[in-house]
């Protein structure tokens, strides 16, 4: 199960990096819409360009946060921190709605982290008393 957690960490960080790349792309598209708004035709397309810029900026910011949460969860998974397991499980449930790759990643994460062996990897070490 150790290998599955490692693979899950890699896949989660790749998914997060992809989401962050999408976020940067959306922010660049937002800047393009703002450039149209500031151009000579800004008066004629003011509402549409402003709405487009706002929507792209909001979606881009959300994608950056979503990707950052995945990268952070992957780092915590690699360190075998219990918080990483909880965060990854929460992200996996939402990923089930993102067809098709998010669904596959979500199912894999739930399978790896909810099994007995997967859960045991994230339990804190119990100190044994020395006689």
């Amino acid at each position: 199960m150790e290998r599955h957690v490692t693979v899950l960490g890699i896949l989660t960080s790749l998914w997060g990096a992809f989401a962050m790349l999408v976020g940067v792309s959306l922010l660049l598209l937002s800047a393009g819409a703002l450039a149209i708004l500031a151009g000579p035709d800004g008066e004629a397309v003011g509402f549409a360009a402003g709405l487009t810029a706002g929507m792209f900026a909001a979606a881009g910011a959300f994608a950056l946060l979503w990707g950052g949460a995945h990268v952070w969860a992957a780092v915590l998974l690699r360190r075998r921190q219990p918080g990483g397991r909880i965060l990854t499980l929460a992200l996996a449930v939402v990923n089930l709605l993102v067809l098709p790759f998010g669904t596959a990643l979500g199912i894999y994460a739930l399978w790896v982290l909810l099994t007995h062996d997967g859960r045991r990897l994230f339990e804190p070490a119990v100190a044994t008393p020395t006689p």
Side-chain angles (χ1 to χ4, degrees), residues 33-124:
L34 284 176
I36 290 173
L37 185 62
D41 294 332
E43 294 273 331
V45 294
F47 177 74
L51 181 66
T52 302
M55 296 301 272
F56 279 156
F62 177 76
L64 281 175
L65 290 173
W66 183 251
H70 279 83
V71 171
W72 183 40
V75 169
L76 293 176
L77 272 181
R78 288 186 190 132
R79 294 180 184 167
R80 303 298 187 258
Q81 303 237 343
R85 178 179 173 268
I86 300 300
L87 179 59
T88 305
L89 283 171
L91 292 171
V93 169
V94 180
N95 275 336
L96 292 173
L97 301 174
V98 183
L99 294 171
F101 300 113
T103 304
L105 179 63
I107 290 170
Y108 184 61
L110 291 173
W111 174 73
V112 168
L113 297 175
L114 291 177
T115 61
H116 179 67
D117 292 337
R119 187 177 303 140
R120 192 175 37 123
L121 288 174
F122 293 94
E123 291 176 351

